[in-house]
Amino acid sequence: MKLSRTASWFLAAFGVWSWVIWTTFVKNLWKDGSGLAFDDAGDPTAYFWVHLTLAGVSFILGTVVGVIGLRSVLAYRKAR
């Protein structure tokens, strides 16, 4: 399957965007002071684990999508 140049750049940009957004989210989750992520004893709650898992899956998917886009962009450059 051959991707268009626009789609290739979009996928590569999405991979970068995913890492920026989810890194920020994990930092904010770790510093949570509202009581959602950590209980009064300082132990992680189910909210913390669910959202950390969500971030982990998003890191993996963002990386896969970004690599596909990057490989396609590099293939276009190589073909020139």
Side-chain angles (χ1 to χ4, degrees), residues 69-80:
L70 183 61
R71 289 181 67 186
S72 183
V73 166
L74 293 175
Y76 268 106
R77 288 190 175 183
K78 191 176 185 179
R80 289 169 119 192

Side-chain angles (χ1 to χ4, degrees), residues 5-58:
R5 185 172 298 153
T6 304
S8 301
W9 277 108
F10 175 78
L11 293 177
F14 180 83
V16 171
W17 176 84
S18 181
W19 270 88
V20 169
I21 293 299
W22 288 103
T23 300
T24 303
F25 180 81
V26 169
K27 286 179 185 176
N28 291 336
L29 181 65
W30 206 267
K31 295 186 292 188
D32 178 53
S34 68
L36 287 173
F38 298 97
D39 60 16
D40 294 334
D43 297 325
T45 62
Y47 177 90
F48 174 84
W49 292 114
V50 166
H51 285 84
L52 189 62
T53 302
L54 175 66
V57 169
S58 296

